[in-house]
Amino acid sequence: METKRLFKVFGLFVMALAMSITVNAQSGQRKPTVYVLATGGTIAGQGATEVAAGYKAGSITVDQLLSAVPEIKDIANIQAEQVANIGSQDMNDEVWLKLAKRINELFAANNADAIVITHGTDTQEETAYFLNLTVKYNKPVILVGSMRPSTAISADGPRNIYNAVATAVAPESVGKGVMVVMDDKILGADDLAKTNTLSVGTFQNPNYGELGIVYNGKPIYSRQPMKRHTVNSEFDVTKLDKLPRVEIILSYSNATSLFVDAAVKAHVKGIVTAGVGNGNITTDMQNALEKAVKHHKIAVVRSSRIMTGPTAQWDEVDDDKLNFSASWFNNPYRSRVLLMLALTKTTDYKEIQRMFSEY
Ligand code: GLU
């Protein structure tokens, strides 16, 4: 009788053990797959010493980069690809199109649950916004960088990468558009700005406030993105191998028509102005822009050099009379991205204005 009971207890123990192994194996299998697409930047930079101010961006590979954060393998099945290895001051349409196409391809084939892109911080806001408008899936796409090179004391890259992967695998990160995770903050691509040349807390959403924070390896969201994005966007870059040329022209006291004339000569398709105040431009420059629209069919979008607030339609400038569009909450850098994409679909300033009101 005793022996029988012993066997029963032992049997139950073996069953429980087998079940726990199965669950563990299953949960191991259930780890989300995150593709890390590396493009370079300070996060992949190396200095001569741990305190050296000078360093070379984009000099270590994605595998070296990820080896500094082995903990990410506990939360995700990591696949790494080196898309480029450049300082992001050299970011370009070719890499943008490559990234957008690769991300859409990975999601279409159901190969990835989320994407993390390592990127220099200089132009991170432009790439984030471009992808926000061209990735067709709701799954998380997160850009991450660092302000200190990988060799510096207190390098911020490894922590930022961990937080980016942790945010990417969280179910609540689905449907939030493209995001940037840096300095324990989660920022939306629709209002992203680098605000400090050196500080690790450089990124902000200056108009709308950050989307959330990362605390103890978990995202905590406090709001939704404000604008249409990703899956809802009307732009399709699948078949494109280049984008329409759009330049940004700054306005300031005494600004002349010089750069507008040069842009017209260079046959640009669009001009974004970084105007003063609510997108105002000197009379000289405005007259040249009016001619650019009338005689050369160049699309003009008024934006502002001011960090916050909208460039509103019909304030001091009569946009309808001039056939200009106003950028609303898009700063000149995001406006350039949106105008490039808008020009792949239309040249009608009213239709372009609609896009600027929605994205
Ligand atoms: N110029 C570098 C870049 O954007 C430095 C900025 C950074 O990554 O922090 O790639």
Side-chain angles (χ1 to χ4, degrees):
M1 196 62 190
E2 261 318 288
T3 330
K4 231 177 174 180
R5 196 183 296 147
L6 257 172
F7 266 121
K8 219 169 163 183
V9 171
F10 183 68
L12 282 172
F13 172 74
V14 171
M15 252 170 72
L17 188 72
M19 270 169 69
S20 103
I21 289 170
T22 316
V23 168
N24 280 340
Q26 277 174 356
S27 62
Q29 277 166 10
R30 262 191 261 117
K31 261 194 288 186
T33 298
V34 175
Y35 269 73
V36 178
L37 307 183
T39 68
T42 296
I43 196 163
Q46 261 177 326
T49 71
E50 289 185 353
V51 288
Y55 65 92
K56 190 173 173 328
S59 51
I60 66 167
T61 64
V62 62
D63 295 321
Q64 286 170 290
L65 190 65
L66 297 180
S67 67
V69 234
E71 297 84 356
I72 53 175
K73 295 212 173 107
D74 299 338
I75 54 173
N77 162 29
I78 301 287
Q79 303 288 330
E81 286 181 13
Q82 192 87 49
V83 175
N85 209 358
I86 53 177
S88 74
Q89 57 271 49
D90 287 323
M91 190 47 64
N92 52 66
D93 297 0
E94 194 191 323
V95 179
W96 279 358
L97 290 168
K98 208 165 153 186
L99 278 172
K101 287 177 190 174
R102 183 66 183 137
I103 295 168
N104 283 323
E105 186 180 274
L106 285 168
F107 285 151
N110 224 357
N111 284 344
D113 295 298
I115 310 276
V116 167
I117 301 161
T118 59
H119 195 293
T121 58
D122 286 355
T123 59
Q124 199 165 50
E125 61 206 82
E126 296 173 44
T127 304
Y129 190 58
F130 177 76
L131 296 175
N132 200 44
L133 299 178
T134 53
V135 170
K136 295 294 186 185
Y137 297 83
N138 246 346
K139 292 179 177 178
V141 176
I142 296 185
L143 279 86
V144 63
S146 78
M147 290 299 284
R148 299 180 184 138
S150 63
T151 43
I153 294 172
S154 289
D156 50 334
R159 184 182 179 91
N160 288 343
I161 290 180
Y162 184 84
N163 282 344
V165 174
T167 304
V169 298
E172 55 270 43
S173 298
V174 171
K176 297 233 168 14
V178 173
M179 297 180 278
V180 163
V181 171
M182 285 204 32
D183 192 39
D184 298 345
K185 285 187 282 211
I186 308 170
L187 302 129
D190 55 2
D191 178 34
L192 189 67
K194 185 171 181 176
T195 65
N196 189 289
T197 52
L198 293 175
S199 154
V200 293
T202 185
F203 281 107
Q204 283 183 30
N205 284 152
N207 288 291
Y208 312 142
E210 66 212 27
L211 287 174
I213 58 166
V214 188
Y215 180 66
N216 272 345
K218 296 259 176 280
I220 303 173
Y221 287 98
S222 45
R223 71 168 180 88
Q224 293 290 331
M226 302 292 283
K227 298 296 198 79
R228 285 177 71 189
H229 56 82
T230 54
V231 85
N232 299 317
S233 130
E234 62 207 83
F235 306 112
D236 183 3
V237 293
T238 334
K239 295 196 176 75
L240 299 182
D241 53 15
K242 60 179 186 336
L243 295 164
R245 182 168 176 196
V246 174
E247 297 290 339
I248 299 172
I249 298 180
L250 183 68
S251 197
Y252 41 86
S253 327
N254 296 310
T256 67
S257 66
L258 179 75
F259 295 115
V260 177
D261 297 340
V264 169
K265 242 194 197 152
H267 305 291
V268 302
K269 299 282 181 258
I271 295 174
V272 170
T273 55
V276 293
N278 182 12
N280 295 313
I281 345 165
T282 59
T283 307
D284 199 16
M285 193 185 268
Q286 187 166 309
N287 291 340
L289 287 165
E290 192 178 354
K291 281 190 205 136
V293 173
K294 242 192 216 149
H295 307 311
H296 303 278
K297 308 268 170 282
I298 293 173
V300 171
V301 172
R302 286 189 309 113
S303 185
S304 175
R305 65 184 199 178
I306 309 294
M307 167 94 79
T308 51
T311 296
Q313 276 172 280
W314 320 298
D315 196 73
E316 285 184 68
V317 180
D318 187 343
D319 293 299
D320 277 334
K321 185 168 158 259
L322 299 165
N323 290 9
F324 292 177
S325 312
S327 73
W328 289 103
F329 282 93
N330 280 320
N331 67 15
Y333 322 112
R334 281 195 303 282
S335 295
R336 177 173 165 271
V337 171
L338 180 51
L339 184 53
M340 286 160 95
L341 289 169
L343 287 168
T344 64
K345 305 218 71 164
T346 183
T347 51
D348 174 17
Y349 84 95
K350 281 201 178 132
E351 188 52 7
I352 292 173
Q353 183 63 72
R354 176 195 58 81
M355 292 172 180
F356 272 85
S357 309
E358 290 179 20
Y359 294 104

